[in-house]
Amino acid sequence: GHAGRSKWQRLTAGPPAREREFDLTRILEAAGHVSVLSYPLKKDGSMREKVSIGDDVIEAFKLLACYDPANLEQGLKLHAECSPALRSAGQRLHELGMISEPDGGYLTPFGITMVEHLQHLLTALSRD
């Protein structure tokens, strides 16, 4: 809550950290691509169900990784001869509100945020 904080602190602090964070797993879970678990281990120490990411999600990541959030005037156009999987990823990203057109286009504000998150993840995973 806001108890104990001045009006200025409430205005400058923004929403609580939990509200500011984007939870990609919720979108993936809603799309039926992952199962989200509260704890990786059961009380007896055995592993719970594994989390899996489908090929369609990987294709969406590949397409998002082509965008440059530092250059918002640059868009993408999926050509007719691109793979059906990539075309499907474009359609899905458009339906989720991340890109302006089903065949590419420009990043939406939501898409910009998602590309920034993806870049952070790719950078972290690429470190040696």
Side-chain angles (χ1 to χ4, degrees):
H2 297 298
R5 292 187 350 188
S6 72
K7 181 177 180 181
W8 174 250
Q9 288 171 320
R10 288 192 305 271
L11 290 173
T12 57
R18 185 76 177 132
E19 292 174 22
R20 286 193 307 260
E21 294 175 4
F22 172 74
D23 193 351
L24 179 59
T25 55
R26 289 185 187 197
I27 286 181
L28 295 174
E29 183 179 36
H33 297 290
V34 297
S35 298
V36 179
L37 305 172
S38 298
Y39 300 101
L41 299 176
K42 294 181 181 179
K43 288 183 180 181
D44 66 4
S46 63
M47 292 297 292
R48 293 187 183 228
E49 179 183 339
K50 291 183 180 180
V51 175
S52 63
I53 298 177
D55 291 340
D56 53 339
V57 173
I58 299 299
E59 291 299 316
F61 286 166
K62 288 178 184 177
L63 184 55
L64 283 174
C66 293
Y67 282 95
D68 179 4
N71 184 0
L72 299 178
E73 294 178 8
Q74 178 184 4
L76 296 179
K77 172 72 173 165
L78 295 175
H79 295 265
E81 58 273 357
C82 79
S83 73
L86 197 56
R87 185 163 301 286
S88 178
Q91 178 68 39
R92 197 157 146 261
L93 292 172
H94 175 67
E95 290 170 1
L96 290 170
M98 293 186 209
I99 59 177
S100 64
E101 301 295 329
D103 63 348
Y106 298 91
L107 289 171
T108 64
F110 179 54
I112 293 166
T113 301
M114 295 304 95
V115 167
E116 289 169 348
H117 285 293
L118 179 60
Q119 286 183 339
H120 289 297
L121 176 64
L122 294 174
T123 299
L125 292 174
S126 298
R127 291 186 181 155
D128 293 328

